[in-house]
């Protein structure tokens, strides 16, 4: 056993840990790619600084959906345009009087408090709190297509402007209101006295945008509606919508009540978790794999065949197999060849064992058993015949 | 590098410090800096792992089922003490204990570590890597490094059937004429001439020699010697099936319970592959035939020659056989019987006993061996030895419920097909040994002795 059949291994050990150089060599492509991606992203952000996302109908927005062009026109005509992003600011401005409140979106505001601000009001679009902002004006079902429409009404602002690009929503006019730019059953512009001034509702703000202002009579209509007053309070969505923080009765949140050190302790806890993760995550050496041999029991095919017999209740085949096996074992003991005929086997068995020849014949060559109990009985009978022959 | 539990504990204590400190922000920064500084110091003062050197010694050969020790000498040529843990990574079936070893090597010294391997499978097991984690003085962080220190242990077939060898050798000696059975008969060859003594068979008097010597001279006979035995091991898919109970638990045997159907498995744990039982039988036969003075060659074949041992001297026969058998695994391909017969015919020029260790699977035999068997049996004496499945025999005896009888019918069908295959082989003049795994080795040895006694080699 001492014969070594293989060449002697190199007994010297070699370090397999990566050196700093080899680590750098293996990851440098990934590092360079990462740096490239980050640099591209940073450069993109820097180059496009100030180019915020498009804010529709914002007086400072220069994109197609913005309305800076209109704001500039108004200022050129001596109208003060003030951009506000809270109800409180709008209310403070309204105290001076003679102002128009331009409302394009109410998602970030409380429409009830907004409706309480007195003075002229221009509501753009079928907004959520229309019932509060313009009482009596209802939005009709179905939205007419946005297109150039004729005024067809006595409202001076509309008749002076002529056709304009309107649509998207149609409204019913309350008693005493003037409806213009009809669409189907209703109007896309409704003007009526309300809240100590005139409230005007238009179906869409497309005619105010930088894109559409130069078309049709859009600019004239916009200036007639918005520029009728000395000053405009232009209400826009706040840049950062207020976070819905659950405030207590005195406006003090849970976080205000917590000592400052808790936040820091949580930070330290996450660092501790990270350290523990590093400790547990470092493996002592590589995972070793090996090719394992297949594990298949040789009897699996036989078991499978047995299950098939069971599943199909194949009594005829099962009985045939049991009988063939019994005959194969019996014939040499009876002194017969493997090709012995039926009557020879039955005759020899009856003579040797003294069993009834017809019973033996039925067991060895008869019809298949009718039920499972019959199959079990047949198997046991064959066993007893073999045992009898064996004992002779 | 690696951190320890102590570093984690320190970080956890830092939570309390930060929570109670009057200025928590500063406390957090302080704790983190302190921890980082301690880790850096620990790493700087930990013993270097890269310059460590490893030397191995110990056993390279072991029989399956026996433990083997491998020694690993760790030499620390660095200037600092290396203290920590070491793991010598071997494949799972090498059964290495302990998994990790505490290590403490002062600078410039060496330490001898002893590993015990209890392999659970035949074949070559190679050490993959030695990993050392060297702790710093504070025990917060450690340097870690991996070395390759190659060493391989060849796990040989266990040759469990050698317990049958003495009784078979005794029967061989009976044949050999050390007992007074110097009767001329088949299975003998001319040995020498000697003077007639009363009681000798008069038919063995050599009249020609008697005339020359003026004395009555008889011929003596002895069993034939220097016959050739070629043991052919079929390593195809049929030899992968597991039968019997593993005398030594094999790796992966326990994992076989699940399978594709995740039904609760109450059936017995699969045993050894047919291949391992066949190897056991082949080793007993080779040992016996070697002692009987026959020349033993060995061929393992599935679709190509897996192993070939020829002309080994009698003293080295078993050694070389277990060595070539050790890495052989059953390939999951259909064996190429035509190629196997061609390989046998090209290697065995003179008439010999071809012992074919395969399975009597009727489908595989009909497709493979049966058409080409006449080529082989016309030139050589062929003995087919197959391991039968005791589980099938147990199934065939089931009578308790209808389900068991259905299984019994399936088992009966399989056994009948096997018996018919045996009968067909015998009609071709092929000897057949079909025995359960525990009996295959002695049964094959007995068949060989019977052939030898009958002088059919």
């Amino acid at each position: 056993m001492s014969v070594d059949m293989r060449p002697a291994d190199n007994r010297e050990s070699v370090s397999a840990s990566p050196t700093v150089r080899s680590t750098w060599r293996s990851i440098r492509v990934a590092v360079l790619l990462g740096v490239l991606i980050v640099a591209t992203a940073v450069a993109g952000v820097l180059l496009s600084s100030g180019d915020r996302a498009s804010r529709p109908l914002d007086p400072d927005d220069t994109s197609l959906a913005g309305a800076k062009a209109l704001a500039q026109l108004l200022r050129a005509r001596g109208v003060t345009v003030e951009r506000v992003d809270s109800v409180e600011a709008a209310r403070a401005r309204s105290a001076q009087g003679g102002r128009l409140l331009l409302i394009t979106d109410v998602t970030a505001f409380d429409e009830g408090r907004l409706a309480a601000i007195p003075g002229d009001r221009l509501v753009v679009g079928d907004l959520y709190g229309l019932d509060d902002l313009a009482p009596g004006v209802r939005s009709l079902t179905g939205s007419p297509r946005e297109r150039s429409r004729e005024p067809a009404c006595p409202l001076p602002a509309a008749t002076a402007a002529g056709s304009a690009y309107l649509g998207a929503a149609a409204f019913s006019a309350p008693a005493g209101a003037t409806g213009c730019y009809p669409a189907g059953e209703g109007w896309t512009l409704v003007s009526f006295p309300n809240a100590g001034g005139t409230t005007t509702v238009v179906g869409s703000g497309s005619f105010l945008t930088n894109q559409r202002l130069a078309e049709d009579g859009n600019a004239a209509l916009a200036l007639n509606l918005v520029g009728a007053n000395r000053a405009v309070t232009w209400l826009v969505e706040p840049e950062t919508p207020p976070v819905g923080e659950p405030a207590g009765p005195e406006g003090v949140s849970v976080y205000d009540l917590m000592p400052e050190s808790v936040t820091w302790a949580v930070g330290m806890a996450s660092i501790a978790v990270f350290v523990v993760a590093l400790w547990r995550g470092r493996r002592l050496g590589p995972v070793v794999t090996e090719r394992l041999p297949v594990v298949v029991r040789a009897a699996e095919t036989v078991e499978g065949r047995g299950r098939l017999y069971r599943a199909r209740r194949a009594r005829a085949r099962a009985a045939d197999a049991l009988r063939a096996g019994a005959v194969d074992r019996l014939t040499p003991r009876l002194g017969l060849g493997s090709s012995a005929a039926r009557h020879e086997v039955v005759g020899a068995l009856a003579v040797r064992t003294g069993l009834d020849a017809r019973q033996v014949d039925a067991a060895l060559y008869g019809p298949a058993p009718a039920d499972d109990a019959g199959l079990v009985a047949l198997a046991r009978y064959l066993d007893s015949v073999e045992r009898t022959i064996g004992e002779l | 590098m690696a951190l320890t539990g102590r570093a984690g504990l320190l970080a956890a204590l830092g939570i309390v410090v930060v929570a109670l400190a009057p200025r928590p922000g500063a406390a957090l920064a302080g704790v983190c800096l302190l921890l980082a500084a301690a880790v850096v110091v620990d790493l700087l003062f930990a013993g270097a792992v890269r310059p460590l050197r490893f030397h191995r010694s110990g056993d390279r050969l072991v029989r399956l089922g026996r433990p083997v020790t491998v020694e690993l000498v760790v030499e620390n040529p660095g200037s600092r003490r290396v203290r920590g843990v070491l793991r010598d990574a071997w494949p799972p079936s090498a059964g290495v204990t302990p998994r990790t070893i505490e290590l403490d090597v002062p600078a410039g010294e060496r330490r001898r570590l002893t590993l015990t391997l209890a392999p659970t499978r035949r074949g070559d097991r190679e050490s993959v890597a030695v990993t050392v984690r060297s702790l710093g003085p504070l025990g917060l962080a450690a340097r870690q490094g991996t070395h390759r220190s190659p060493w391989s242990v060849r796990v040989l077939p266990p040759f469990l059937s050698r317990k049958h060898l003495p009784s078979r050798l005794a029967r061989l000696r009976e044949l050999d004429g050390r007992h007074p059975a110097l009767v001329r008969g088949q299975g003998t060859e001319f040995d020498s001439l000697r003077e007639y003594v009363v009681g000798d068979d008069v038919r063995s008097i050599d009249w020609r020699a008697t005339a020359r010597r003026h004395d009555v001279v008889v011929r003596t006979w002895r069993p034939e010697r220097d016959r050739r035995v070629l043991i052919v091991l079929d390593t195809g898919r049929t030899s992968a099936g597991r039968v019997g109970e593993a005398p030594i638990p094999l790796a992966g045997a326990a994992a076989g319970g699940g399978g594709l159907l995740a039904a609760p498995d109450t059936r017995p744990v699969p045993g050894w592959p047919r291949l391992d039982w066949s190897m056991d039988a082949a080793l007993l036969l080779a040992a016996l035939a070697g002692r009987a003075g026959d020349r033993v060659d060995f061929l393992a074949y599935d679709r190509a020659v897996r192993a070939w041992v020829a002309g080994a001297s009698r003293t080295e026969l078993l050694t070389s056989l277990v060595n070539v058998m050790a890495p052989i695994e059953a390939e999951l391909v259909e064996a190429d019987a035509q190629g196997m017969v061609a390989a046998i015919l090209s290697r065995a020029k003179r008439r010999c006993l071809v012992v074919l260790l395969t399975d009597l699977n009727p489908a595989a035999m009909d497709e493979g061996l049966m058409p080409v068997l006449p080529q082989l049996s016309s030139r050589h004496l062929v003995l087919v030895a197959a391991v039968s499945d005791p589980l099938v025999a147990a199934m065939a005896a089931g009578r308790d419920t209808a389900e068991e009888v259905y299984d019994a019918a399936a088992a009966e069908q399989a056994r009948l097909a096997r018996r018919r295959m045996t009968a067909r082989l015998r009609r071709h003049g092929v000897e057949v040994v079909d025995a359960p795994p525990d009996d295959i080795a002695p049964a094959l040895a007995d068949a060989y002795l019977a052939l030898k006694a009958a002088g059919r080699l």
Side-chain angles (χ1 to χ4, degrees):
Chain A
M1 286 302 196
S2 62
V3 182
D4 189 0
M5 290 285 161
R6 278 150 303 125
D9 288 335
N10 176 19
R11 303 287 161 96
E12 268 310 304
S13 61
V14 192
S15 176
S17 298
T19 59
V20 174
R21 185 177 295 178
S22 71
T23 309
W24 165 242
R25 206 173 288 155
S26 59
I27 65 167
R28 62 185 169 187
V29 174
V31 167
L32 283 177
L33 272 178
V35 166
L36 208 66
I37 288 167
V38 170
T40 314
V42 167
V45 168
L46 288 177
L47 288 178
S48 65
S49 66
D51 187 9
R52 289 164 305 177
S54 166
R55 294 170 57 85
L57 295 179
D58 188 307
D60 287 348
D61 192 305
T62 54
S63 75
L64 290 179
K68 184 156 188 177
L70 177 61
Q72 296 283 40
L73 279 181
L74 290 169
R75 287 190 184 111
R77 291 176 161 245
V79 178
T80 316
V81 177
E82 283 185 290
R83 180 176 178 275
V84 298
D85 59 1
S86 72
V87 180
E88 286 72 30
R91 178 187 289 279
R93 303 286 192 291
S94 72
Q96 300 158 20
R99 275 183 169 254
L100 175 83
L101 177 61
L102 176 58
I103 305 168
T104 60
D105 192 11
V106 291
T107 45
F109 311 113
D110 180 6
E111 54 275 2
R113 290 165 68 194
L114 208 54
I117 299 173
D120 290 347
R121 193 181 292 168
L122 176 60
V123 181
V124 178
D126 182 11
L127 299 182
Y128 172 68
L130 194 64
D131 285 343
D132 293 321
L133 296 172
V137 176
R138 282 187 303 110
S139 172
L140 301 176
T141 52
S143 50
R145 201 166 61 80
E146 279 191 286
R147 63 178 173 83
S148 182
R149 292 173 193 277
E150 292 300 322
C153 74
L155 193 72
T159 44
S163 65
Y165 191 82
L166 278 167
F171 305 98
S172 66
T178 314
C180 295
Y181 301 99
E185 299 283 305
W187 289 272
T188 58
L189 186 150
V190 174
S191 178
F192 66 105
N194 173 37
T198 308
T199 296
T200 310
V201 183
V202 292
S204 78
S206 299
F207 73 102
L208 302 171
T209 61
N210 297 338
Q211 185 184 9
R212 302 267 179 213
L213 196 64
E215 296 172 8
D216 236 343
N218 289 353
L221 179 63
L223 286 174
N224 289 345
L225 288 178
V226 182
N229 301 61
R230 272 189 298 105
V232 176
T233 309
W234 198 309
L235 188 63
V236 296
E237 216 182 329
E239 297 260 341
T240 49
V243 183
E245 204 169 271
E250 280 133 37
V252 182
S253 79
V254 167
Y255 299 103
D256 298 333
L257 294 172
M258 245 188 253
E260 190 199 2
S261 61
V262 170
T263 322
W264 291 103
V266 169
M268 189 63 220
S270 53
I271 292 173
V273 167
F274 180 67
V275 170
V276 170
L278 283 182
W279 162 44
R280 299 307 303 169
R282 184 79 162 107
R283 205 171 38 223
L284 187 59
V287 171
V288 183
T289 58
E290 77 174 306
R291 192 176 162 233
L292 285 175
V294 64
V295 179
V296 183
R297 280 198 317 283
E300 253 176 27
T301 50
V302 178
E303 283 169 359
R305 185 184 281 270
R307 296 241 171 91
L308 278 180
Y309 282 172
R310 277 190 223 178
R312 307 308 308 163
R313 298 279 150 198
R315 282 182 287 273
R317 283 182 179 277
D320 282 351
L322 290 171
R323 285 164 170 166
V327 170
D328 195 61
R329 279 189 298 272
L330 284 171
T331 41
R333 298 205 162 181
L334 295 171
L336 299 169
S338 57
S339 57
R342 173 175 175 171
H343 65 274
E344 289 175 325
V345 175
V346 174
L349 261 180
V351 169
R352 286 282 202 88
T353 59
L355 293 167
D356 179 31
R358 268 179 301 169
Q359 205 181 349
V360 171
D361 183 68
L364 284 182
Y365 298 100
D371 53 6
D372 283 355
L375 182 67
V376 176
L378 172 70
R380 289 183 178 158
Y381 184 76
L382 291 174
D383 276 359
S384 74
V385 172
E386 282 190 57
R387 218 175 299 123
T388 317
I389 286 290
E391 284 163 3
L392 285 178
Chain B
M1 97 169 237
L3 293 178
T4 64
R6 216 178 276 189
L9 192 67
L10 213 61
L13 286 175
I15 302 173
V16 180
V17 172
V18 169
L20 298 180
R23 289 175 59 203
L28 183 135
V31 166
C32 289
L33 277 177
L34 197 71
L35 193 61
V39 165
V40 167
V41 165
D42 233 16
L43 286 177
L44 283 177
F45 286 95
V49 173
R50 192 177 294 280
L52 289 180
R53 279 204 290 272
F54 299 89
H55 312 276
R56 284 186 194 267
S57 59
D59 298 328
R60 282 182 168 276
L61 293 170
V62 63
R63 278 208 190 118
L64 182 60
R66 295 286 188 80
V68 61
T69 54
V70 172
E71 285 175 340
L72 181 66
V73 174
V74 185
E75 187 186 342
N76 180 11
S79 55
R80 281 202 198 89
R81 184 187 205 92
V82 171
R83 188 174 60 83
V85 288
L86 176 146
R87 173 181 167 225
D88 193 4
W90 291 71
S93 69
V96 173
T97 48
R99 192 175 170 276
T100 59
I101 306 175
E102 295 287 323
L103 187 72
D104 190 357
V105 190
E109 293 189 21
R110 46 174 65 192
R111 287 286 179 274
R112 182 183 298 272
L113 308 172
T114 306
L115 293 145
T116 307
L117 273 65
T120 52
R121 211 148 61 78
R122 264 188 306 111
D124 290 332
R125 298 287 162 268
E126 289 182 7
S127 165
V128 176
V130 179
T131 305
V132 174
R133 185 175 284 184
S134 164
L135 288 172
L138 300 173
L140 288 174
R143 293 196 200 179
Q144 182 170 321
T146 298
H147 288 252
R148 299 222 185 290
S149 176
W151 189 263
S152 70
V153 171
R154 175 159 279 193
V155 186
L156 306 172
F159 192 14
L160 297 169
S161 60
R162 64 180 178 281
K163 65 188 174 200
H164 298 293
L165 193 56
S167 63
R168 267 61 192 182
L169 285 177
R171 287 184 43 193
L172 185 69
R173 277 194 291 274
E174 278 173 30
L175 289 179
D176 212 4
R178 299 195 189 158
H179 292 261
L182 294 175
V183 189
R184 181 181 184 181
Q186 279 190 322
T188 50
E189 60 187 9
F190 176 71
D191 185 18
S192 60
L193 294 169
R194 63 171 171 77
E195 280 180 23
Y196 175 83
V197 293
V198 179
D200 278 344
D201 189 348
V202 290
R203 284 176 298 176
S204 57
I205 292 170
D206 188 336
W207 294 109
R208 196 182 293 252
T210 303
R212 236 183 279 132
R213 297 267 298 272
H214 307 291
D215 199 359
V216 182
V217 170
V218 291
R219 293 178 189 168
T220 60
W221 310 87
R222 60 168 191 181
E224 52 200 1
R225 293 175 72 87
D226 288 322
R227 300 297 144 137
R228 290 172 175 274
V229 178
L230 174 57
I231 301 173
V232 182
L233 192 60
D234 174 4
T235 58
R237 66 169 179 92
T238 53
S239 60
R242 301 203 171 209
V243 293
E245 272 178 43
I248 296 160
L250 291 190
L260 282 175
L261 303 166
D265 202 346
T266 54
R267 292 169 299 184
V269 175
W272 263 8
R274 279 208 168 91
L275 184 71
D276 287 59
W277 295 112
S278 300
M279 281 181 182
D280 207 39
L283 287 174
L284 182 64
L285 177 64
L288 190 60
R291 296 287 188 90
D294 289 336
R295 307 178 63 82
V296 180
D297 297 335
F298 173 79
L299 174 71
Y301 196 96
D302 43 72
R303 298 197 78 80
V305 177
R306 296 281 161 216
W308 169 238
V309 175
S313 73
R314 267 159 216 177
T315 49
E316 281 180 5
L317 175 65
L318 273 190
T319 311
S320 48
L321 272 189
V322 291
N323 252 304
V324 300
M325 277 180 183
I328 295 178
E329 293 287 348
E331 299 290 324
L332 297 183
V333 292
E334 190 73 50
D336 173 18
Q338 210 163 358
M340 186 188 289
V341 168
I344 294 168
L345 290 176
S346 72
R347 282 171 171 76
K349 301 290 184 201
R350 286 168 50 197
R351 181 186 145 82
C352 60
L353 170 67
V354 175
V355 179
L356 192 52
L357 289 151
T358 181
D359 183 33
L360 291 172
N361 182 326
M365 289 289 268
D366 274 337
E367 294 279 312
L369 195 61
M370 290 311 280
V372 289
L373 198 60
Q375 293 178 35
L376 202 59
S377 57
S378 63
R379 286 186 55 186
H380 302 288
L381 176 61
V382 181
L383 193 160
V384 173
V387 185
S388 67
D389 193 342
L391 193 58
V392 172
M395 280 168 71
R399 292 290 183 270
D400 287 343
T401 61
E403 278 68 31
E404 282 191 22
V405 174
Y406 281 119
D407 277 353
E412 199 66 74
Q413 202 262 356
R415 289 207 300 182
L416 191 62
R418 221 176 154 89
R419 281 204 296 274
R420 293 206 169 127
M421 179 52 66
T422 307
R424 278 174 66 194
L425 284 171
R426 293 214 164 106
R427 276 203 296 280
H428 276 92
V430 172
E431 295 293 319
V432 180
V433 175
D434 186 9
D438 291 329
D439 298 336
I440 183 70
L444 180 61
D446 289 346
Y448 165 77
L449 287 174
L451 286 174
K452 199 160 183 65
R456 292 183 57 194
L457 292 189

